[in-house]
Amino acid sequence: MKVLYYDCFCGISGDMNLGALLDLGVEKEYLLKELSKLNLQSEYELRIEKKLKKGILGTQVQVELKNAHNPDLHGHGHGHHHSHHHHEHRNLKDIEDLIQGSDLSLPVKENSRHMFRIVAEAEAAVHGKSLYEVHFHEVGAVDSIIDMVGAAICLEYLQVDKIIASTVQVGGGFVECAHGIIPVPAPATVEILKQVPIKSGIVPFETTTPTGAAILSANVSEFSEQMDMMVERIGYGIGHHDLDIPNVLRVYLGHIQS
């Protein structure tokens, strides 16, 4: 039985997941070709590079928003993160339509929609709103679309029989969001990780994001600290932060004697 194991000793985010799965052997060209079916190329660029983190070599992925740092686009004076293009206001319905209208394979569409639904349900529960009125930058942002649809594409490419993950490290401290300062893990992250074994506080930082949590929640069938498998390949997804532990997501591809 072909197995993928997520070692979340420093949590998981959408970009670390993409980095780890590419590092494991998903063809970069294949991922880019499939992502192009969303027709969002005018809005982002995917930067993929080999990086070292505390002596560990892996793959780092960054979704760079085009026009995001062009001050001319801002009539409202905050020069970071989002341009005032339509992508700032995408809600769940817009995203579902975008995915549905694409030429992506049916399993990729269904998995992507499932992951977005999980995040939207969590945000709705946390903010006391209904599913389709959740107005959230987190999911509306192009990088979340690329992270989640990209995850579905990579997982389909790997064709594994089972996905297992370790206990998930969520981090600690406080994080800034659209609503101000909130405690880590962010409420949406905890909501998504109900019924999943989590650990906290290894570093004062948000190591697991709602996107990362949704990728696990939608795809992992078993959580176990015991890695009981024959490992054939190892991938490292490199995060964007320098912490006391390696900001890295490790994934293993291998077999369980069945």
Side-chain angles (χ1 to χ4, degrees), residues 72-93:
D72 301 342
L73 288 174
H74 291 280
H76 42 27
H78 63 13
H80 63 284
H81 284 342
H82 297 289
S83 63
H84 69 257
H85 285 345
H86 58 285
H87 65 226
E88 180 145 22
H89 300 294
R90 285 195 178 109
N91 61 19
L92 183 63
K93 180 89 176 75

Side-chain angles (χ1 to χ4, degrees), residues 9-227:
F9 63 84
C10 189
I12 179 172
S13 65
D15 55 56
M16 284 163 81
N17 174 66
L18 277 183
L21 297 181
L22 286 166
D23 206 60
L24 197 61
V26 173
E27 288 285 335
K28 173 178 146 181
E29 284 67 31
Y30 176 80
L31 173 63
L32 294 173
K33 176 175 71 74
E34 291 300 303
L35 282 174
S36 71
K37 295 177 177 177
L38 291 168
N39 294 319
L40 292 175
Q41 293 90 307
S42 64
E43 296 186 35
Y44 79 97
E45 217 163 314
L46 207 56
R47 209 174 71 215
I48 299 167
E49 46 196 1
K50 287 280 181 191
K51 272 277 173 73
L52 271 171
K53 187 69 76 174
K54 289 211 183 292
I56 297 172
L57 182 66
T59 300
Q60 188 176 67
V61 171
Q62 184 151 23
V63 179
E64 294 188 333
L65 298 185
K66 292 186 181 176
N67 306 327
H69 300 289
N70 182 344
D72 301 342
L73 288 174
H74 291 280
H76 42 27
H78 63 13
H80 63 284
H81 284 342
H82 297 289
S83 63
H84 69 257
H85 285 345
H86 58 285
H87 65 226
E88 180 145 22
H89 300 294
R90 285 195 178 109
N91 61 19
L92 183 63
K93 180 89 176 75
D94 298 327
I95 291 166
E96 288 181 338
D97 290 346
L98 177 77
I99 293 166
Q100 210 39 45
S102 75
D103 293 332
L104 288 162
S105 77
L106 196 59
V108 167
K109 285 182 181 179
E110 285 179 356
N111 194 2
S112 303
R113 286 215 317 269
H114 183 200
M115 289 186 269
F116 270 106
R117 180 62 65 110
I118 287 170
V119 177
E121 281 170 355
E123 297 279 356
V126 166
H127 299 303
K129 294 188 159 154
S130 73
L131 198 57
Y132 285 100
E133 66 177 0
V134 172
H135 177 78
F136 39 126
H137 293 290
E138 288 86 350
V139 163
V142 171
D143 46 4
S144 296
I145 297 174
I146 299 310
D147 286 345
M148 286 200 259
V149 176
I153 291 165
C154 291
L155 291 173
E156 187 194 39
Y157 177 94
L158 290 171
Q159 293 289 313
V160 296
D161 302 306
K162 186 176 193 182
I163 302 177
I164 305 173
S166 68
T167 300
V168 183
Q169 173 62 240
V170 295
F174 291 82
V175 68
E176 244 181 289
C177 75
H179 307 278
I181 302 282
I182 55 170
V184 172
T189 304
V190 195
E191 186 69 30
I192 292 166
L193 293 177
K194 285 195 301 206
Q195 315 300 324
V196 168
I198 60 177
K199 286 193 274 228
S200 73
I202 196 164
V203 282
F205 180 76
E206 181 186 32
T207 54
T208 294
T209 62
T211 301
I215 291 167
L216 294 180
S217 171
N219 294 288
V220 174
S221 56
E222 183 189 326
F223 288 86
S224 168
E225 288 300 272
Q226 293 304 308
M227 244 187 73

Side-chain angles (χ1 to χ4, degrees), residues 3-9 11-12 15-26 50-51 56-60 158 227 229 231-239 247-254:
V3 175
L4 177 65
Y5 183 93
Y6 277 93
D7 183 7
C8 306
F9 63 84
I12 179 172
D15 55 56
M16 284 163 81
N17 174 66
L18 277 183
L21 297 181
L22 286 166
D23 206 60
L24 197 61
V26 173
K50 287 280 181 191
K51 272 277 173 73
I56 297 172
L57 182 66
T59 300
Q60 188 176 67
L158 290 171
M227 244 187 73
M229 63 190 279
V231 175
E232 276 139 42
R233 291 213 300 256
I234 303 148
Y236 292 95
I238 307 292
N247 183 207
V248 167
L249 170 67
R250 176 161 52 186
V251 289
Y252 301 93
L253 194 63

